[in-house]
């Protein structure tokens, strides 16, 4: 069937470029994983070595042209890296928030002990007083549980009548407890909650997340929380905490969104750098200063740029493949035909062995699909000769497919009409006439454009 055909072309060069783009993204994803591990203070040499081994395997797969596997497996590997960091971060955020809660509980317990000692007018040594004050500030380097026990031992049993029943029970348990137990286990036994701060778990979880997402914003919220904790009026403090939690939740949400966008941008830029050597029209050092909407606009611009560059490159690859293949079969391929094809959306080529006839390539050069058909270059009508030409083109088309296959490219027929199904199209234009006159003045190609 060698009437008009709709064909699909996929070149070795475009598939290779697509795979190289995937690998560029993977390389950036590995860097992101390493940077995240540094932020989290984590190490996992076994996981890293396994990832690098996979990366080397992908290089080998590219060399032997296992393109389909690369396009399937590389995005999966990127997802594995992203999921691994998300899981590690979740665990560390939970651990950090719990540690912060325990530290805050320790401060409250120390304050309670100091208040009891002051109420009983117990004279403290300078060393113990300094240790207690440092503990309240969160700067004490020693064992908090031992410090609490030491302070409680100063309370005389015969004076405990002045204490509430809850305080007596607390005192009795503290005196009896082994001082070597951990503070965390003591907290678990006593089940003490911070009554004045109902948001503690939510606040500390948000702060832990923010500390990894945007440290500079985290520092601002820490300062703000310290001010709120100094507020003596309970009702006002509660109002301040309400506002603080809302702002903190919004900050965490924006930080996560920003982090996801920056990750996406970095992968996109990695593929862009792989695709083109042209400098980008923005300064990467300014990323931290732009807002989320500007970041989204930047991503859109980069995606458009990548699409335009890819489209241009693909058009070049397909033009080169088709024109080089036809040149190898004896068709006249001249300088400037690639530009003419882009401008007109069609191209007609002659074969000296069949004067008065040629073939037409119709469709944008960058399109995956195009129409190819034999055409006549005169207005004369010779139905039998027209059928002979279509039959000859049938053989040439098969040879073109075979030539492209040897280069690693595919030319696939998606739709075709049989020989003689439609009248041979007549192509008579000034363009064809002028190109015929200029044939001897042009350079003909046999293998390359």
């Amino acid at each position: 069937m060698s009437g008009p055909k709709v064909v699909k072309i996929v070149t070795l060069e475009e598939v290779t470029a697509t795979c190289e783009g995937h690998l560029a993204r993977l390389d950036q994803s590995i860097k992101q994983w390493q940077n995240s591990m540094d932020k989290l203070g984590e190490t996992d040499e076994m996981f890293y070595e396994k990832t690098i081994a996979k990366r080397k395997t992908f290089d080998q797969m590219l060399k032997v042209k296992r393109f389909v596997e690369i396009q399937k497996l590389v995005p999966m590997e990127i997802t594995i890296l992203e999921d691994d960091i998300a899981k590690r971060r979740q665990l560390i955020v939970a651990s950090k928030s719990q540690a912060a809660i325990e530290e805050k509980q320790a401060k409250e317990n120390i304050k309670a002990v100091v208040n009891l000692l002051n109420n009983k007018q117990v004279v403290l040594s300078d060393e113990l007083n300094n240790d207690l004050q440092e503990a309240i500030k969160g700067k004490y380097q020693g064992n908090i549980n031992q410090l609490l026990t030491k302070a409680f031992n100063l309370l005389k049993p015969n004076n405990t009548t002045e204490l509430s029943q809850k305080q007596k029970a607390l005192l009795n348990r503290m005196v009896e407890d082994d001082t070597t137990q951990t503070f965390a286990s003591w907290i678990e036994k006593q089940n003490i909650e911070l009554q004045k701060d109902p948001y503690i778990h939510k606040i500390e979880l948000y702060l832990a997340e923010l500390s990894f997402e945007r440290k500079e914003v985290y520092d601002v919220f820490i300062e703000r929380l310290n001010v709120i904790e100094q507020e003596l009026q309970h009702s006002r403090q509660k109002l301040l905490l309400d506002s603080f939690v809302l702002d903190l939740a919004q900050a965490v949400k924006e930080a996560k969104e920003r982090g996801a966008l920056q990750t996406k941008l970095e992968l996109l830029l990695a593929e862009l750098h792989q695709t083109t050597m042209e400098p980008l029209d923005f300064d990467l050092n300014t990323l931290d200063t732009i807002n989320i909407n500007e970041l989204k606009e930047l991503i859109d611009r980069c995606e458009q740029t990548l699409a335009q560059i890819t489209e241009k490159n693909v058009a070049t690859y397909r033009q080169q493949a088709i024109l080089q293949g036809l040149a190898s079969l004896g068709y006249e391929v001249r300088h400037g035909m690639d530009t003419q094809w882009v401008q007109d959306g069609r191209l007609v080529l002659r074969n000296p062995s069949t004067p008065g006839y040629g073939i037409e390539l119709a469709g944008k050069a960058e399109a995956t699909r195009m129409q190819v058909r034999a055409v006549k270059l005169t207005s004369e009508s010779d139905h039998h000769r027209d059928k002979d030409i279509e039959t000859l083109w049938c053989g040439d088309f098969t040879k073109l497919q075979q030539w492209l296959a040897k280069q690693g490219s595919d030319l696939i027929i998606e739709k075709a009409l049989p020989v003689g199904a439609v009248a041979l199209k007549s192509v008579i234009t000034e363009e064809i006439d002028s190109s015929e006159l200029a044939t001897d003045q042009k350079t003909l190609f046999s293998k390359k454009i």
Side-chain angles (χ1 to χ4, degrees):
M1 299 177 70
S2 280
K5 299 178 182 65
V6 175
V7 299
K8 176 181 179 180
I9 179 170
V10 180
T11 66
L12 171 66
E13 292 80 5
E14 66 184 90
V15 177
T16 300
T18 297
C19 291
E20 289 174 342
H22 281 304
L23 292 175
R25 284 176 174 263
L26 176 57
D27 289 337
Q28 182 60 39
S29 185
I30 293 173
K31 291 179 182 178
Q32 291 173 342
W33 182 88
Q34 291 175 302
N35 291 337
S36 295
M37 291 291 280
D38 290 341
K39 286 183 179 180
L40 297 174
E42 289 271 286
T43 57
D44 192 336
E45 287 300 322
M46 185 178 296
F47 184 93
Y48 176 74
E49 290 174 1
K50 183 179 179 181
T51 301
I52 296 302
K54 290 181 183 178
R55 178 63 181 85
K56 292 179 180 178
T57 299
F58 292 138
D59 280 335
Q60 295 301 318
M61 292 169 66
L62 186 62
K63 289 181 181 179
V64 297
K65 302 177 182 179
R66 292 165 60 183
F67 302 126
V68 174
E69 292 174 82
I70 290 176
Q71 293 179 67
K72 176 182 178 181
L73 296 176
V74 171
M76 291 173 60
E77 187 62 25
I78 292 174
T79 299
I80 288 173
L81 289 167
E82 292 173 344
D83 289 346
D84 181 74
I85 284 300
K87 291 177 182 177
R88 293 177 190 270
R89 180 175 301 192
Q90 184 177 16
L91 290 173
I92 293 177
V93 163
S95 176
K96 184 173 182 178
S97 64
Q98 182 58 37
I101 291 171
E102 292 175 1
E103 180 181 348
K104 189 177 290 290
Q105 180 68 74
K107 291 181 183 179
E108 294 302 316
N109 289 336
I110 291 292
K111 288 180 182 178
V113 171
V114 171
N115 287 336
L116 287 173
L117 293 171
N118 289 337
N119 290 338
K120 295 190 63 63
Q121 299 182 347
V122 176
V123 179
L124 304 177
S125 66
D126 291 341
E127 180 182 0
L128 179 57
N129 185 56
N130 289 336
D131 287 344
L132 291 171
Q133 294 305 317
E134 287 296 296
I136 291 174
K137 296 176 183 178
K139 298 180 180 180
Y140 182 66
Q141 301 299 316
N143 187 296
I144 290 289
N145 188 61
Q146 291 179 354
L147 182 62
L148 278 170
T149 304
K150 183 177 180 180
F152 267 114
N153 285 338
L154 295 178
L155 295 170
K156 302 298 183 180
N158 58 346
N159 291 328
T160 57
T161 55
E162 299 176 17
L163 302 177
S164 66
Q165 292 300 317
K166 185 176 180 180
Q167 290 170 332
K168 289 178 183 179
L170 176 62
L171 174 59
N172 290 334
R173 288 195 297 269
M174 285 302 301
V175 172
E176 294 170 1
D177 280 347
D178 185 349
T179 58
T180 61
Q181 69 177 330
T182 65
F183 182 62
S185 65
W186 182 81
I187 285 290
E188 184 178 355
K189 287 182 180 180
Q190 313 313 318
N191 193 24
I192 297 175
E193 296 292 338
L194 297 182
Q195 298 300 323
K196 74 173 185 178
D197 189 355
Y199 300 111
I200 181 171
H201 294 282
K202 185 180 294 186
I203 287 175
E204 295 303 338
L205 185 62
Y206 282 151
L207 287 173
E209 289 180 319
L210 198 56
S211 68
F212 291 117
E213 296 288 349
R214 298 199 73 186
K215 182 63 168 59
E216 68 280 7
V217 179
Y218 164 82
D219 291 337
V220 172
F221 275 95
I222 285 294
E223 292 181 7
R224 183 175 165 186
L225 182 59
N226 289 336
V227 173
I228 294 175
E229 289 179 342
Q230 301 304 314
E231 175 60 47
L232 299 178
Q233 188 177 351
H234 179 71
S235 59
R236 174 169 170 75
Q237 186 183 64
K238 187 178 183 305
L239 289 174
L240 293 174
L241 281 173
D242 288 340
S243 176
F244 178 82
V245 171
L246 290 175
D247 292 345
L248 181 58
Q250 182 63 29
V252 171
K253 178 182 177 182
E254 291 179 359
K256 286 183 176 181
E257 182 180 7
R258 186 183 191 86
L261 289 172
Q262 284 190 288
T263 296
K264 182 178 181 179
L265 178 62
E266 288 171 1
L267 296 182
L268 185 57
L269 291 175
E271 186 173 1
L272 258 176
H273 286 304
Q274 173 64 37
T275 305
T276 179
M277 298 300 293
E278 297 180 7
L280 302 174
D281 61 349
F282 63 88
D283 185 1
L284 290 176
N285 295 322
T286 64
L287 287 182
D288 289 336
T289 64
I290 64 178
N291 60 42
I292 288 179
N293 288 333
E294 291 172 330
L295 192 55
K296 289 179 179 178
E297 291 174 1
L298 180 56
I299 289 174
D300 288 341
R301 276 169 42 206
C302 288
E303 288 177 336
Q304 292 173 10
T305 300
L306 178 60
Q308 291 169 358
I309 293 173
T310 299
E311 184 178 272
K312 180 180 178 181
N313 290 344
V314 166
T316 300
Y317 298 145
R318 291 173 182 169
Q319 286 174 338
Q320 289 177 343
I322 290 291
L323 295 181
Q324 289 174 15
L326 290 172
S328 72
L329 299 178
Y331 287 85
E332 296 177 353
V333 178
R334 299 183 296 275
H335 282 302
M337 277 190 165
D338 51 347
T339 302
Q340 180 184 343
W341 191 352
V342 171
Q343 291 175 344
D344 299 343
R346 58 185 286 273
L347 187 66
V348 176
L349 295 92
R350 304 169 184 273
N351 190 328
S353 64
T354 55
Y357 292 88
I359 61 166
E360 180 187 59
L361 309 174
K364 292 183 178 180
E366 67 273 12
T368 304
R369 294 166 179 80
M370 69 180 73
Q371 185 185 75
V372 293
R373 65 190 298 170
V375 294
K376 57 184 178 181
L377 308 179
T378 69
S379 58
E380 297 178 4
S381 179
D382 187 339
H383 183 65
H384 293 292
R385 177 61 175 161
D386 291 352
K387 289 186 66 174
D388 291 340
I389 290 297
E390 283 195 296
T391 302
L392 289 173
W393 166 236
C394 178
D396 282 351
F397 183 84
T398 300
K399 292 176 183 178
L400 177 61
Q401 284 181 306
Q402 294 170 346
W403 186 91
L404 288 169
K406 289 180 180 179
Q407 315 307 313
S409 302
D410 291 321
L411 184 61
I412 305 165
I413 299 176
E414 294 198 339
K415 183 179 180 181
L417 297 177
V419 172
V422 294
L424 208 62
K425 181 181 179 181
S426 179
V427 180
I428 306 174
T429 65
E430 294 181 1
E431 171 190 331
I432 297 297
D433 295 338
S434 62
S435 64
E436 184 176 7
L437 294 173
T439 297
D440 294 336
Q441 302 174 12
K442 300 289 184 178
T443 301
L444 302 181
F445 292 80
S446 59
K447 294 293 182 182
K448 297 181 179 179
I449 298 177

